[in-house]
Amino acid sequence: MTPPDLPAQGEEAHFRALESLYAAAPINRLFESTLVIPAPGVARIHFLVDERYFHAGGAAHGTSYFKMLDDAAFYAANSLVTDRFLLTTAFNLLFTKPLKAGPVVAEGRWVSGQRRVFVAEARLIDAEGEEAARGTGTFMRSRIALAGLPGYRAAP
C-alpha cells in the first residue's frame, strides 16, 4: 500500500511541527531523543540508551523499548493527519535482543488506514545495525486538535 497523499503545501511545516510537539512533551525530558520525519508515513527517533534505563540484569528495561517503538509508529501515522492528534489504542511488542548502552534508532512506518484508524509498525536498530525489537500499533483520531497543542508549531 502507498500512503495517502497530503497536499504538498504545508507538508514540511506539518512534519516540523510534529517534531516540535515531540520535543515539547514532558516525558521526553527523561530520554535523550530526537524525532525526524523525513517523508509521509515515516518517522525516526534517534536516542541514547545508558545505565539510567537498565533493569537489574544490565540491559535496557522494556519501558524504553515500548516508549520508542510506540512513539516512532505514532508519529509515522500522525504525519498523515494534519488536523487531529492520534491516540494509541493497542500496541504489540516483540523483544528480539537486549539493548546495551549506546545509540539506537526507532524506525516507524505507516502500514494502513487513512481515515479514523491507522496501523503503523516500528523497529529498534542498535549501534551494530541489528534489530532489537519490533512492534505494531493501532492509532485513532482523537478530538484533540493539533493546532491547539502548545508544542505543535511550525519551525521558524
Side-chain angles (χ1 to χ4, degrees):
M1 287 187 124
T2 58
D5 292 331
L6 288 177
Q9 184 178 6
E11 183 178 82
E12 285 297 318
H14 174 58
F15 296 167
R16 301 301 79 83
L18 286 174
E19 291 165 357
S20 176
L21 182 66
Y22 177 84
I27 186 68
N28 290 322
R29 293 182 203 136
L30 301 175
F31 296 88
E32 294 178 35
S33 59
T34 305
L35 169 69
V36 175
I37 301 173
V42 178
R44 288 188 191 94
I45 299 173
H46 299 266
F47 66 104
L48 187 62
V49 170
D50 64 35
E51 292 79 15
R52 294 176 293 170
Y53 310 114
F54 282 10
H55 54 58
H61 187 275
T63 304
S64 302
Y65 289 77
F66 173 78
K67 190 243 187 276
M68 295 306 174
L69 288 168
D70 177 53
D71 283 357
F74 165 87
Y75 280 98
N78 220 145
S79 72
L80 304 173
V81 179
T82 59
D83 62 338
R84 298 286 171 197
F85 185 76
L86 298 181
L87 298 173
T88 304
T89 58
F91 201 89
N92 293 309
L93 170 59
L94 173 66
F95 299 93
T96 55
K97 179 183 175 189
L99 279 174
K100 300 293 184 179
V104 180
V105 177
E107 298 177 341
R109 292 201 178 280
W110 169 85
V111 173
S112 67
Q114 298 182 19
R115 290 193 165 79
R116 183 163 160 77
V117 177
F118 296 77
V119 176
E121 61 188 12
R123 59 192 200 130
L124 295 183
I125 306 300
D126 68 14
E128 287 80 40
E130 294 182 14
E131 183 178 287
R134 67 175 45 238
T136 304
T138 57
F139 308 89
M140 66 179 261
R141 289 178 186 266
S142 72
R143 295 177 187 223
I144 302 167
L146 281 170
L149 297 173
Y152 183 83
R153 63 184 184 290

